Amino acid sequence: VVSRDEKENDLRMILNLGHTIGHALEAVAGYNELLHGEAISIGMVGSARLAVKLGAPEQVLTVTKRVLTRVGLPVRLPEHLDTDRIMEAMSHDKKFLEGTMVFIVPTAIGHVEINKSVSTALVREIVEQLKQEAVQA
């Protein structure tokens, strides 16, 4: 993937699954509460939840959570992290475009797509849901 898209113009973006939310979580948590992998894990669950809202099968979310949980990674956002601060951190991301965000969305197990028009309102809803996230084994 990297050799086919060295400048991250399109294909290489798929490697950023979970990073849009994850990087914001790292920043808001002060880079010490969550390890990078933990933040990205939560971000991957957020991307899977977003995918389901956009029409992907529920299996995308349940399998994502199950796999991450089995390897000991978190799937739930710590409740004390402020949603407004998370949204603000995401607005500084290079993938933020005037009211919409770019997300890597898992549309099926083993397949992702680049969605360049996710509304910030939907992202806010996903962040709030990540605070309530329950593990489904």
Side-chain angles (χ1 to χ4, degrees):
V1 169
V2 174
S3 64
R4 288 177 47 199
D5 184 10
E6 292 180 15
K7 304 285 187 193
E8 196 173 339
N9 292 318
D10 209 21
L11 177 64
R12 187 171 171 179
M13 289 177 70
I14 69 171
L15 300 178
N16 289 327
L17 176 64
H19 282 69
T20 302
I21 292 174
H23 285 160
L25 298 180
E26 285 180 296
V28 172
Y31 297 98
N32 59 9
E33 181 178 345
L34 294 169
L35 297 173
H36 178 72
E38 293 170 333
I40 301 311
S41 175
I42 297 165
M44 289 172 67
V45 174
S47 292
R49 181 166 285 291
L50 174 65
V52 170
K53 287 204 176 273
L54 296 174
E58 183 74 27
Q59 176 191 29
V60 169
L61 177 59
T62 57
V63 170
T64 299
K65 290 186 337 186
R66 184 172 50 231
V67 168
L68 293 170
T69 300
R70 283 189 179 163
V71 297
L73 290 167
V75 296
R76 185 173 181 272
L77 177 62
E79 289 184 45
H80 70 275
L81 294 182
D82 182 68
T83 300
D84 289 334
R85 290 187 62 214
I86 293 167
M87 294 302 296
E88 174 66 21
M90 278 192 277
S91 74
H92 297 295
D93 190 288
K94 64 184 177 183
K95 294 178 285 297
F96 182 80
L97 306 167
E98 296 185 31
T100 62
M101 304 184 84
V102 177
F103 268 82
I104 309 308
V105 181
T107 55
I109 301 303
H111 186 267
V112 297
E113 293 180 358
I114 301 166
N115 186 321
K116 296 183 178 183
S117 61
V118 178
S119 74
T120 54
L122 183 53
V123 175
R124 176 178 289 280
E125 181 182 329
I126 296 297
V127 169
E128 282 297 317
Q129 289 174 350
L130 284 170
K131 292 180 180 183
Q132 315 303 315
E133 198 69 50
V135 177
Q136 294 175 351

